[in-house]
Amino acid sequence: MVSLGDVDFERVTVSDVSRFYGRRRALSRVNFECASGEIVGLLGPNGAGKSTLLSVLATLAEPSTGRVRYGAWSARAGGAKLRAKIGFLAHDLQLYPELSARENLEFFAGLYGLDRCEARADAALASAGLEFRADEVVEGFSRGMRQRLALERAMIHAPRLMLFDEPFTGLDEASCTALVDRLRHLRGDGRIVIVATHDLDVVDGVLDREILLTGGKLQVLRQSGTLRERYRAAVAKRRGNEQRVKPLQRNAQDQDSEDENGASR
Amino acid sequence: MNRFLQVAWLVVWKDLRVEARSKEMLFTTLFFAISIVLVFSFGFVRAGQAVEGAAAGILWIAMAFSGTLALGRAFERERYHDALRGLLLAPVDRPAIYLGKLVGLLLLLSLVETVVAVLVAFLFGVPFFRHGWWLFLMLSLGTVGFASVGTLFSAMLVRTRSRTVLLPVLLYPVTIPVLIMGVSGTTALVQAEPDLAMARLWISLLFFFDTVFLTLALWTFEPVMTE
C-alpha cells in the first residue's frame, strides 16, 4: 500500500498561473483559492481554458508561470503522494474499453495502492448501478454508463481534491440528480470539489462559488439572478469589451501604417 | 512485492488482458513478420539453397519491421479515451509504467520471434537451433535493446500527430547498432563452422547497449511524459 499519511491539504491556492502552448496563451495570470467543503464551478465558453486549468490543478501540466499550492505543498514537492489525493474525471473517460467494468476499477485501485481492491470495486460498481454488468467489457456500455463508471474510477481512492470536467455529459436525469447528490456528499465530507461544466441549470444552487474563465482570464459573475443569467451577462460584457477594444486596435494599426507611409514618402 | 514492480506487473497484466481480448497487435505483427519472411524466401532461396548469410539478416529484419508495427501501437491504447493521463495521475513511479509497457511488448515480440525463427530455419534450411540457447540469448538481448528505445520513443510521440511517420525515423538510426550486432552474432552462430567466441563478443556488446539504453529510458521517461 502507498503511505498517504504525509501529504494532505485543506486549501488549494492558484497564484498568477499562466500557461502557454507555443505562442498561444491558454491561461493568463489566473488567481483563486478554494477550501475543503466547497464546490467551485468553473464556467466559460469553449476554448476558455477550463480543461487546461483542470490539467494544471491535476498536476498533469505545469504552469508556464505562477504556482499552485496544495496546502503547504507544490505539485513537484508533493509528487506521487500528492497525486494520491487528487481525483480527476476528465472529458475523455480514461477507461480501457476492452476491459470489463470490474477489471477497470481493480486496475486503477491497484495503481493507487489500495487494499481490498475487489471489495472496493464491488462497492464502486454498486454505487454506479452497474453491479449486474460488472463483468461485461466497457466497449458495449452506453455513454452514460461509461460516465458513471469513470466517475467511480476517479473517486475510488477517496481524493481530497476532486476535479470534474463536464461530468454531466451523457447522463440521464436520474443520473444527473445522483451526481448532484454525490457532489453535495463530497462537500459534506470536507472534499474540495471543482466542476467545469456547461450544464448551468443542473449545477445552479449546488455551487458555492463560480469562477468564469474567458480567453484564459478570470472574470467575476454578478450576484443576482439565476446562474445562466449571470453567466450570459458576464460573457456578453466580455464580448462587448472585446468589440470596443478591436476597433481601437484597428484604428491604432491604421494610424501606424499611415505614419509609416508618410515617413517613407 | 516491491511497489515499483507491482505497478509494472499491473500494467503488464492490463496490456496482456487487453491483447488477449482484441488480439490486434499479435495478429498484425505476426502476419507482417511472416509475410516478410515468405517474400524474402522467394528472393533468396534457389533450388532449396539459401544465399549465404541471408537467413540471419531476414530474421532480424522481420523482428525490426514487425517490432516497429507493435511499438507504433504500444501507446495507442493509452491514447484512446485519454487513459494515459489516468495512468500519469496515479501515485506511482512513472518509470514503472514504462517498464510495464516494455515487458508487455517483449512478451508479444518473443512470441512472434519464436514463430519467425522456426519459419526462417525451415524455409532457409539454416541450423538455428544447433546452438539454441545462444540464439535465444542473442534474440532476447536484441529485442530488449530495440524495444527499450522504441517504447520510450513511442511514449514521447504519443501526443504528436505524425507519430506513425516519426517513430521509424527516430527509432532506426538509434537501433541500427542492435540490428548489426544481432545479424553479425547470428551469422557467427549459423555459419558452417560456428564462431562461438565471436557470438559471445556480440552478445556482450548487446548486453552493454541494453544496459545503457534501458537506464537512459527509465531515467528520462518521467520528464518525457510531463506536459
Side-chain angles (χ1 to χ4, degrees):
Chain A
M1 267 185 64
V2 179
S3 163
L4 305 176
D6 311 342
V7 175
D8 201 3
F9 51 92
E10 300 265 303
R11 191 167 287 278
V12 176
T13 312
V14 177
S15 312
D16 265 340
V17 165
S18 298
R19 169 79 192 183
F20 298 89
Y21 291 105
R23 292 177 65 187
R24 192 176 70 80
R25 184 159 52 184
L27 292 174
S28 176
R29 306 194 70 171
V30 172
N31 289 283
F32 71 92
E33 198 173 69
C34 36
S36 65
E38 199 175 26
I39 304 177
V40 177
L42 191 55
L43 313 178
N46 293 331
K50 301 187 296 293
S51 296
T52 303
L53 182 55
L54 287 180
S55 292
V56 169
L57 289 168
T59 74
L60 289 169
E62 285 186 354
S64 306
T65 60
R67 64 180 192 173
V68 182
R69 304 289 295 181
Y70 306 80
W73 301 86
S74 67
R76 203 168 279 229
K81 285 183 176 178
L82 177 67
R83 292 204 298 274
K85 293 288 181 184
I86 299 172
F88 186 19
L89 175 65
H91 187 59
D92 289 317
L93 298 178
Q94 301 175 350
L95 294 169
Y96 292 97
E98 297 91 347
L99 296 183
S100 71
R102 185 191 301 281
E103 286 166 347
N104 266 291
L105 291 169
E106 286 182 3
F107 173 63
F108 280 99
L111 281 185
Y112 278 86
L114 305 175
D115 56 357
R116 300 180 296 107
C117 290
E118 283 177 32
R120 283 175 194 267
D122 284 339
L125 286 164
S127 180
L130 291 169
E131 59 268 60
F132 299 112
R133 303 191 68 173
D135 296 314
E136 290 179 32
V137 291
V138 171
E139 209 157 28
F141 285 12
S142 69
R143 167 77 198 195
M145 290 161 74
R146 288 182 197 200
Q147 185 81 9
R148 284 180 351 236
L149 180 65
L151 176 69
E152 296 305 325
R153 180 204 63 74
M155 296 201 293
I156 200 160
H157 56 298
R160 167 69 67 186
L161 171 64
M162 190 61 222
L163 306 163
F164 294 92
D165 194 358
E166 298 296 345
F168 299 101
T169 308
L171 295 185
D172 59 22
E173 203 178 340
S175 302
C176 280
T177 308
L179 178 53
V180 167
D181 289 344
R182 197 72 182 272
L183 293 178
R184 290 195 170 113
H185 180 75
L186 288 170
R187 170 171 55 197
D189 216 20
R191 313 282 169 193
I192 305 167
V193 182
I194 300 179
V195 188
T197 184
H198 290 116
D199 293 286
L200 303 180
D201 299 327
V202 180
V203 292
D204 199 0
V206 182
L207 305 177
D208 296 307
R209 210 149 45 87
E210 301 91 22
I211 292 169
L212 177 67
L213 266 178
T214 46
K217 291 180 180 166
L218 273 194
Q219 216 183 326
V220 183
L221 289 183
R222 66 183 163 88
Q223 293 301 308
S224 59
T226 64
L227 182 57
R228 185 169 291 282
E229 287 166 353
R230 286 184 283 147
Y231 174 78
R232 280 183 179 158
V235 172
K237 189 179 166 192
R238 163 90 182 162
R239 288 204 177 125
N241 287 342
E242 281 174 0
Q243 294 300 325
R244 274 198 299 277
V245 169
K246 271 180 189 165
L248 290 174
Q249 284 174 337
R250 217 173 294 137
N251 286 342
Q253 282 168 357
D254 291 346
Q255 189 63 49
D256 287 346
S257 56
E258 276 175 23
D259 290 348
E260 279 169 24
N261 290 338
S264 64
R265 276 198 295 269
Chain B
M1 204 192 323
N2 176 299
R3 174 85 182 130
F4 186 91
L5 294 177
Q6 196 182 8
V7 170
W9 166 243
L10 270 171
V11 175
V12 175
W13 173 89
K14 184 267 295 171
D15 276 356
L16 291 183
R17 189 152 287 217
V18 169
E19 186 55 36
R21 299 243 163 92
S22 68
K23 297 181 184 68
E24 179 194 12
M25 270 165 70
L26 178 66
F27 282 167
T28 48
T29 309
L30 196 57
F31 177 77
F32 189 55
I34 290 173
S35 304
I36 290 170
V37 175
L38 281 178
V39 169
F40 276 124
S41 73
F42 280 95
F44 289 104
V45 182
R46 289 272 178 274
Q49 197 64 41
V51 174
E52 199 180 340
I58 287 157
L59 175 70
W60 284 88
I61 284 290
M63 187 281 277
F65 284 3
S66 59
T68 309
L69 203 64
L71 285 166
R73 301 289 302 163
F75 277 87
E76 281 294 294
R77 277 171 194 149
E78 262 58 49
R79 209 173 61 82
Y80 289 140
H81 308 285
D82 212 11
L84 181 61
R85 297 179 113 205
L87 285 182
L88 295 177
L89 188 56
V92 299
D93 286 334
R94 286 175 178 166
I97 298 171
Y98 166 83
L99 187 65
K101 298 296 295 182
L102 174 63
V103 172
L105 260 168
L106 288 174
L107 290 174
L108 175 87
L109 290 179
S110 59
L111 200 65
V112 172
E113 282 167 17
T114 307
V115 175
V116 169
V118 172
L119 194 63
V120 172
F122 174 70
L123 290 174
F124 289 79
V126 286
F128 267 160
F129 304 104
R130 186 171 53 192
H131 296 286
W133 284 111
W134 287 97
L135 182 74
F136 171 77
L137 195 59
M138 187 95 66
L139 271 175
S140 302
L141 289 170
T143 312
V144 169
F146 185 79
S148 62
V149 177
T151 306
L152 180 69
F153 286 170
S154 180
M156 273 167 63
L157 295 171
V158 71
R159 294 193 191 99
T160 59
R161 211 174 301 157
S162 48
R163 59 190 163 277
T164 43
V165 179
L166 280 175
L167 180 64
V169 171
L170 291 174
L171 179 63
Y172 290 134
V174 182
T175 54
I176 280 288
V178 173
L179 300 178
I180 292 172
M181 288 181 238
V183 172
S184 306
T186 309
T187 306
L189 281 178
V190 298
Q191 64 196 11
E193 289 292 321
D195 188 347
L196 290 182
M198 188 56 81
R200 215 174 289 135
L201 171 72
W202 291 120
I203 283 173
S204 310
L205 288 172
L206 276 172
F207 182 77
F208 175 73
F209 183 97
D210 288 4
T211 309
V212 170
F213 277 89
L214 203 52
T215 309
L216 279 176
L218 285 166
W219 189 35
T220 51
F221 187 74
E222 166 110 32
V224 158
M225 297 314 288
T226 304
E227 280 181 38

